[in-house]
Amino acid sequence: QVQLVESGGGLVQAGGSLRLSCAASGRTSSRYFMGWFRQEPGKEREFVLAVSWSGSSTYYGDSVKDRFTISRDNAKNTVYLQMNSLKPEDTAVYYCVAGVIGNNPAAAREYEYWGQGTQVTVSS
């Protein structure tokens, strides 16, 4: 089992920045990609970003390209989501995920482990 704990969510004005952290514990593996999804009430979960253990492969959701970046510190088993130029439509609960992904890194089903989520609210 792998446990994921997110932190860093909160309220920010449009145009501002926020950084989320996700600490992994338990049976972590170098095979795992780690990443982020987000979900607004009444909507499906949306893929945000994912990165391989080595950091050599990164996948971006279309809506966050050029604004969000992902990085990881394997020594700390932690992944970070840096969010810049935030927009009100970025408001959502953000979930940290981990798993051995297959052919579609943007698919929620590819990720075995999920955190409890952290709320990000962007005011206009």
Side-chain angles (χ1 to χ4, degrees):
Q1 286 289 335
V2 175
Q3 293 77 43
L4 303 172
V5 179
E6 302 101 334
S7 60
L11 174 65
V12 63
Q13 287 189 331
S17 298
L18 207 59
R19 189 177 82 155
L20 305 183
S21 300
C22 174
S25 61
R27 299 183 64 179
T28 57
S29 168
S30 61
R31 298 172 61 205
Y32 289 160
F33 273 68
M34 291 186 70
W36 297 86
F37 280 74
R38 65 187 184 185
Q39 187 171 24
E40 299 175 66
K43 295 187 177 181
E44 293 187 357
R45 289 181 178 178
E46 177 188 6
F47 173 71
V48 179
L49 285 166
V51 65
S52 62
W53 177 268
S54 66
S56 60
S57 298
T58 305
Y59 300 95
Y60 292 84
D62 290 339
S63 62
V64 303
K65 284 180 179 178
D66 301 323
R67 297 189 300 123
F68 291 10
T69 57
I70 189 170
S71 61
R72 63 189 299 171
D73 183 340
N74 291 332
K76 296 181 179 180
N77 281 334
T78 299
V79 64
Y80 303 96
L81 177 63
Q82 179 66 43
M83 304 184 291
N84 299 325
S85 302
L86 282 162
K87 305 174 182 179
E89 51 264 43
D90 293 319
T91 296
V93 176
Y94 283 71
Y95 295 92
C96 180
V97 296
V100 180
I101 66 172
N103 297 324
N104 188 357
R109 65 178 182 274
E110 298 280 4
Y111 298 90
E112 182 175 2
Y113 301 104
W114 291 71
Q116 81 286 354
T118 185
Q119 177 70 46
V120 171
T121 303
V122 184
S123 63
S124 57

